[in-house]
Amino acid sequence: PDGNSDEAFHQATFLLEEKCDDDMFEFRCDNASALVPLYPEFISLLRRVEEQKHIGVVVVTCGVGRLWTKILEHHGLSDSVKVIGGGRFSDGYFVTPGVKAAVVSHLRDVHDLNVWAFGDSPLDIPMLWEADQAVVVVGDEKKRSTTMDAALATAIQDGHLRARQVLLPSTSSPRLDNNSLPVVSFDDGDFVKSIVDPRPELRPLKKYDATNKAASNILMSPMRSAAVSGPMLRAANANVGRYLATEYVSKLIGLEEFTISHVQGHQTTGHRLRNEAKTSIIAFMRGGEPMAFGISDVFPQAMFVHASSADDVKKHHVQGQLNVILVDSVIKSGKSVIELIKRVVRLEPNISITVVAGVVQTEAIAEGHLFAKVMRRHGAGLIALRISENKFTGTKTTDTGNRLFNTTRLA
């Protein structure tokens, strides 16, 4: 097998088992580990991390895990640095680039941790892509990976990887250019401080909803009625969009003043959404489109984007924008919206995110739920017409998209 497939790593483990019995394997790991140096800068960083209770360090290797354990033992770091790596079938697993990425995403999403990833080869790129902070370690030009430049360029250009590079030693020539891959240094106290300092406490989820308001009861009635579908249902959803935009989006994002001509002939002050011209409204298809059109009516200067999946959001949809409003009709687990948020943040990290929906299930915004975690992590605001404890999932004739576009008979 070729490449970085599971089969290739399985075959590599098989060949190692064939060449080395357990005693020989241990002997060779002992010998090799004594010859492997660690960068002094990393030793210094790991020593500093040892003193911190809020940080953990894990080495995730596609190579031989036992070798890394012994390297760390030689440097007195094995108690504070854990290793995930295979090498023997008795380990019960082997590590692929996908596994590296999965470890990072699990720590980030499930355990709500801020993850820094350091890597130096194409095998590390999926892991770097998933990390909150990605740092490419660039060694001496004669010894480093010869395929990494091309892999990095592709990941940055096509995958929108955002990373920095650290040169070890500092005399090493950098990869790519400083715009694509800015250079940082362990000699920079602020950089090291950003790694070891505790992350600021995340703010509570910013949330507005009209669940108990009379307006919600009126606006929701046609959306819940089995007798309403097609154009009438789309109009009802657009009305909800206009209401939520006027009442809540304007409150969450804020307003700005501008000069208008008064009907009586003089100049006066008007109001519009703050940075409206630098706002993108992204309608999650199909269900979110009618509501998004209603929001667009209220904010006519905003860009309008259709997205059937996160990949439909392109760089030019959000680059240079200050606000993005993600619109869906119903949020159950929030999985689709989570992917949209991650995509938007990767393309434009500092953009302000607002999620608007007709109905949001209570469970999705509960403490510890992944949707709530991702929203808080990125400082996103949530606006809903109604928060519901009803866990009903629409299918066929009850699916929102089918009802909106009269396709229930095709389901």
Side-chain angles (χ1 to χ4, degrees), residues 237-254:
N237 274 258
N239 285 338
V240 170
R242 295 184 193 98
Y243 169 70
L244 294 178
T246 306
E247 181 70 17
Y248 296 116
V249 177
S250 59
K251 184 184 298 184
L252 184 63
I253 295 177

PDB file of all heavy atoms in Angstrom, residues 237-254:
ATOM      1  N   ASN A 237     -41.713  32.421   7.194  1.00  0.00           N
ATOM      2  CA  ASN A 237     -40.315  32.364   7.632  1.00  0.00           C
ATOM      3  C   ASN A 237     -39.612  33.697   7.398  1.00  0.00           C
ATOM      4  O   ASN A 237     -38.796  34.133   8.214  1.00  0.00           O
ATOM      5  CB  ASN A 237     -39.579  31.243   6.902  1.00  0.00           C
ATOM      6  CG  ASN A 237     -39.733  29.891   7.583  1.00  0.00           C
ATOM      7  OD1 ASN A 237     -38.837  29.415   8.265  1.00  0.00           O
ATOM      8  ND2 ASN A 237     -40.885  29.263   7.396  1.00  0.00           N
ATOM      9  N   ALA A 238     -39.927  34.343   6.273  1.00  0.00           N
ATOM     10  CA  ALA A 238     -39.330  35.653   6.001  1.00  0.00           C
ATOM     11  C   ALA A 238     -39.777  36.675   7.042  1.00  0.00           C
ATOM     12  O   ALA A 238     -38.986  37.522   7.484  1.00  0.00           O
ATOM     13  CB  ALA A 238     -39.711  36.118   4.596  1.00  0.00           C
ATOM     14  N   ASN A 239     -41.045  36.590   7.458  1.00  0.00           N
ATOM     15  CA  ASN A 239     -41.537  37.492   8.510  1.00  0.00           C
ATOM     16  C   ASN A 239     -40.764  37.292   9.811  1.00  0.00           C
ATOM     17  O   ASN A 239     -40.442  38.257  10.513  1.00  0.00           O
ATOM     18  CB  ASN A 239     -43.033  37.248   8.756  1.00  0.00           C
ATOM     19  CG  ASN A 239     -43.902  37.826   7.659  1.00  0.00           C
ATOM     20  OD1 ASN A 239     -43.479  38.734   6.940  1.00  0.00           O
ATOM     21  ND2 ASN A 239     -45.115  37.302   7.512  1.00  0.00           N
ATOM     22  N   VAL A 240     -40.484  36.036  10.121  1.00  0.00           N
ATOM     23  CA  VAL A 240     -39.690  35.744  11.320  1.00  0.00           C
ATOM     24  C   VAL A 240     -38.298  36.359  11.184  1.00  0.00           C
ATOM     25  O   VAL A 240     -37.767  36.958  12.123  1.00  0.00           O
ATOM     26  CB  VAL A 240     -39.592  34.221  11.556  1.00  0.00           C
ATOM     27  CG1 VAL A 240     -38.563  33.902  12.649  1.00  0.00           C
ATOM     28  CG2 VAL A 240     -40.950  33.654  11.938  1.00  0.00           C
ATOM     29  N   GLY A 241     -37.703  36.224  10.004  1.00  0.00           N
ATOM     30  CA  GLY A 241     -36.385  36.805   9.774  1.00  0.00           C
ATOM     31  C   GLY A 241     -36.385  38.308   9.976  1.00  0.00           C
ATOM     32  O   GLY A 241     -35.476  38.862  10.617  1.00  0.00           O
ATOM     33  N   ARG A 242     -37.412  38.987   9.454  1.00  0.00           N
ATOM     34  CA  ARG A 242     -37.498  40.446   9.615  1.00  0.00           C
ATOM     35  C   ARG A 242     -37.632  40.827  11.088  1.00  0.00           C
ATOM     36  O   ARG A 242     -36.998  41.775  11.566  1.00  0.00           O
ATOM     37  CB  ARG A 242     -38.683  40.993   8.815  1.00  0.00           C
ATOM     38  CG  ARG A 242     -38.544  40.835   7.312  1.00  0.00           C
ATOM     39  CD  ARG A 242     -39.705  41.489   6.564  1.00  0.00           C
ATOM     40  NE  ARG A 242     -39.708  41.056   5.170  1.00  0.00           N
ATOM     41  CZ  ARG A 242     -40.480  40.087   4.684  1.00  0.00           C
ATOM     42  NH1 ARG A 242     -41.345  39.466   5.482  1.00  0.00           N
ATOM     43  NH2 ARG A 242     -40.411  39.751   3.417  1.00  0.00           N
ATOM     44  N   TYR A 243     -38.462  40.072  11.793  1.00  0.00           N
ATOM     45  CA  TYR A 243     -38.673  40.370  13.215  1.00  0.00           C
ATOM     46  C   TYR A 243     -37.390  40.158  14.023  1.00  0.00           C
ATOM     47  O   TYR A 243     -36.983  41.031  14.804  1.00  0.00           O
ATOM     48  CB  TYR A 243     -39.790  39.483  13.767  1.00  0.00           C
ATOM     49  CG  TYR A 243     -39.907  39.525  15.278  1.00  0.00           C
ATOM     50  CD1 TYR A 243     -40.367  40.664  15.932  1.00  0.00           C
ATOM     51  CD2 TYR A 243     -39.539  38.422  16.051  1.00  0.00           C
ATOM     52  CE1 TYR A 243     -40.465  40.710  17.316  1.00  0.00           C
ATOM     53  CE2 TYR A 243     -39.634  38.460  17.430  1.00  0.00           C
ATOM     54  CZ  TYR A 243     -40.092  39.598  18.064  1.00  0.00           C
ATOM     55  OH  TYR A 243     -40.185  39.642  19.434  1.00  0.00           O
ATOM     56  N   LEU A 244     -36.740  39.019  13.833  1.00  0.00           N
ATOM     57  CA  LEU A 244     -35.530  38.730  14.604  1.00  0.00           C
ATOM     58  C   LEU A 244     -34.412  39.706  14.264  1.00  0.00           C
ATOM     59  O   LEU A 244     -33.636  40.110  15.142  1.00  0.00           O
ATOM     60  CB  LEU A 244     -35.079  37.286  14.346  1.00  0.00           C
ATOM     61  CG  LEU A 244     -36.025  36.185  14.838  1.00  0.00           C
ATOM     62  CD1 LEU A 244     -35.488  34.809  14.464  1.00  0.00           C
ATOM     63  CD2 LEU A 244     -36.244  36.274  16.348  1.00  0.00           C
ATOM     64  N   ALA A 245     -34.334  40.102  12.992  1.00  0.00           N
ATOM     65  CA  ALA A 245     -33.311  41.072  12.593  1.00  0.00           C
ATOM     66  C   ALA A 245     -33.547  42.422  13.258  1.00  0.00           C
ATOM     67  O   ALA A 245     -32.623  43.045  13.799  1.00  0.00           O
ATOM     68  CB  ALA A 245     -33.304  41.223  11.072  1.00  0.00           C
ATOM     69  N   THR A 246     -34.793  42.858  13.220  1.00  0.00           N
ATOM     70  CA  THR A 246     -35.126  44.180  13.757  1.00  0.00           C
ATOM     71  C   THR A 246     -35.017  44.224  15.274  1.00  0.00           C
ATOM     72  O   THR A 246     -34.454  45.168  15.852  1.00  0.00           O
ATOM     73  CB  THR A 246     -36.563  44.571  13.343  1.00  0.00           C
ATOM     74  OG1 THR A 246     -36.684  44.478  11.925  1.00  0.00           O
ATOM     75  CG2 THR A 246     -36.897  45.979  13.788  1.00  0.00           C
ATOM     76  N   GLU A 247     -35.523  43.191  15.927  1.00  0.00           N
ATOM     77  CA  GLU A 247     -35.615  43.203  17.385  1.00  0.00           C
ATOM     78  C   GLU A 247     -34.318  42.770  18.070  1.00  0.00           C
ATOM     79  O   GLU A 247     -33.928  43.351  19.088  1.00  0.00           O
ATOM     80  CB  GLU A 247     -36.760  42.276  17.829  1.00  0.00           C
ATOM     81  CG  GLU A 247     -36.982  42.212  19.339  1.00  0.00           C
ATOM     82  CD  GLU A 247     -37.556  43.500  19.908  1.00  0.00           C
ATOM     83  OE1 GLU A 247     -38.077  44.316  19.121  1.00  0.00           O
ATOM     84  OE2 GLU A 247     -37.474  43.695  21.135  1.00  0.00           O
ATOM     85  N   TYR A 248     -33.645  41.761  17.516  1.00  0.00           N
ATOM     86  CA  TYR A 248     -32.541  41.150  18.257  1.00  0.00           C
ATOM     87  C   TYR A 248     -31.171  41.270  17.591  1.00  0.00           C
ATOM     88  O   TYR A 248     -30.182  41.549  18.268  1.00  0.00           O
ATOM     89  CB  TYR A 248     -32.840  39.669  18.508  1.00  0.00           C
ATOM     90  CG  TYR A 248     -34.047  39.445  19.385  1.00  0.00           C
ATOM     91  CD1 TYR A 248     -35.180  38.811  18.891  1.00  0.00           C
ATOM     92  CD2 TYR A 248     -34.058  39.873  20.706  1.00  0.00           C
ATOM     93  CE1 TYR A 248     -36.295  38.600  19.688  1.00  0.00           C
ATOM     94  CE2 TYR A 248     -35.167  39.675  21.519  1.00  0.00           C
ATOM     95  CZ  TYR A 248     -36.286  39.035  21.004  1.00  0.00           C
ATOM     96  OH  TYR A 248     -37.380  38.843  21.801  1.00  0.00           O
ATOM     97  N   VAL A 249     -31.092  41.043  16.278  1.00  0.00           N
ATOM     98  CA  VAL A 249     -29.782  41.153  15.624  1.00  0.00           C
ATOM     99  C   VAL A 249     -29.243  42.568  15.780  1.00  0.00           C
ATOM    100  O   VAL A 249     -28.059  42.775  16.065  1.00  0.00           O
ATOM    101  CB  VAL A 249     -29.864  40.768  14.127  1.00  0.00           C
ATOM    102  CG1 VAL A 249     -28.504  40.971  13.456  1.00  0.00           C
ATOM    103  CG2 VAL A 249     -30.321  39.323  13.968  1.00  0.00           C
ATOM    104  N   SER A 250     -30.125  43.546  15.625  1.00  0.00           N
ATOM    105  CA  SER A 250     -29.702  44.941  15.775  1.00  0.00           C
ATOM    106  C   SER A 250     -29.212  45.232  17.191  1.00  0.00           C
ATOM    107  O   SER A 250     -28.327  46.057  17.403  1.00  0.00           O
ATOM    108  CB  SER A 250     -30.856  45.879  15.414  1.00  0.00           C
ATOM    109  OG  SER A 250     -31.978  45.630  16.251  1.00  0.00           O
ATOM    110  N   LYS A 251     -29.792  44.527  18.165  1.00  0.00           N
ATOM    111  CA  LYS A 251     -29.377  44.711  19.560  1.00  0.00           C
ATOM    112  C   LYS A 251     -28.039  44.021  19.823  1.00  0.00           C
ATOM    113  O   LYS A 251     -27.161  44.563  20.505  1.00  0.00           O
ATOM    114  CB  LYS A 251     -30.449  44.144  20.493  1.00  0.00           C
ATOM    115  CG  LYS A 251     -30.175  44.367  21.975  1.00  0.00           C
ATOM    116  CD  LYS A 251     -31.236  43.703  22.842  1.00  0.00           C
ATOM    117  CE  LYS A 251     -32.619  44.289  22.600  1.00  0.00           C
ATOM    118  NZ  LYS A 251     -33.634  43.705  23.518  1.00  0.00           N
ATOM    119  N   LEU A 252     -27.868  42.819  19.277  1.00  0.00           N
ATOM    120  CA  LEU A 252     -26.654  42.051  19.529  1.00  0.00           C
ATOM    121  C   LEU A 252     -25.438  42.671  18.835  1.00  0.00           C
ATOM    122  O   LEU A 252     -24.377  42.840  19.448  1.00  0.00           O
ATOM    123  CB  LEU A 252     -26.842  40.609  19.053  1.00  0.00           C
ATOM    124  CG  LEU A 252     -25.700  39.635  19.337  1.00  0.00           C
ATOM    125  CD1 LEU A 252     -25.483  39.472  20.832  1.00  0.00           C
ATOM    126  CD2 LEU A 252     -25.990  38.278  18.701  1.00  0.00           C
ATOM    127  N   ILE A 253     -25.589  43.017  17.571  1.00  0.00           N
ATOM    128  CA  ILE A 253     -24.464  43.579  16.816  1.00  0.00           C
ATOM    129  C   ILE A 253     -24.329  45.078  17.060  1.00  0.00           C
ATOM    130  O   ILE A 253     -23.230  45.628  17.091  1.00  0.00           O
ATOM    131  CB  ILE A 253     -24.632  43.282  15.308  1.00  0.00           C
ATOM    132  CG1 ILE A 253     -24.563  41.764  15.070  1.00  0.00           C
ATOM    133  CG2 ILE A 253     -23.563  43.989  14.486  1.00  0.00           C
ATOM    134  CD1 ILE A 253     -24.784  41.350  13.624  1.00  0.00           C
ATOM    135  N   GLY A 254     -25.456  45.743  17.244  1.00  0.00           N
ATOM    136  CA  GLY A 254     -25.439  47.185  17.465  1.00  0.00           C
ATOM    137  C   GLY A 254     -25.793  47.961  16.207  1.00  0.00           C
ATOM    138  O   GLY A 254     -25.856  47.405  15.103  1.00  0.00           O
TER     139      GLY A 254
END
